Amino acid sequence: MSASLAMTHLVPLAKEVDENKVTPGVLGFIVFAVMALAVWRLMKSMNRHMSKVDFKEAPDPAGASREPADAADAKAERG
């Protein structure tokens, strides 16, 4: 019974809204809030997974013995 009483009080408020204006309403807010929450959880999960990644690169044994091409060309020109 209280729900119907609340609706009778809200109906006059709805008539005061400009009928030529389109608004997203409560459903639009709920959809936006759910999307914002999903993005926040994805960012939190990504941050957790990225903190587990080890960015230290092992030296390449084959590449360590070679000189870079620019250094080799500079030595060849000098001597």
Side-chain angles (χ1 to χ4, degrees):
M1 197 62 148
S2 63
S4 63
L5 183 63
M7 289 304 290
T8 57
H9 289 296
L10 291 176
V11 169
L13 292 175
K15 291 292 181 185
E16 294 175 8
V17 176
D18 186 11
E19 293 180 5
N20 294 326
K21 191 184 292 185
V22 177
T23 60
V26 176
L27 181 63
F29 174 74
I30 291 171
V31 169
F32 180 78
V34 167
M35 288 175 54
L37 184 64
V39 168
W40 177 75
R41 290 186 67 191
L42 283 171
M43 293 294 288
K44 191 173 178 180
S45 175
M46 183 188 71
N47 193 16
R48 190 177 331 114
H49 283 93
M50 291 298 285
S51 66
K52 293 179 184 178
V53 174
D54 184 20
F55 286 106
K56 295 178 184 172
E57 189 172 318
D60 186 17
S65 63
R66 295 184 308 180
E67 294 181 20
D70 294 335
D73 290 342
K75 283 185 181 180
E77 288 178 4
R78 281 190 240 150

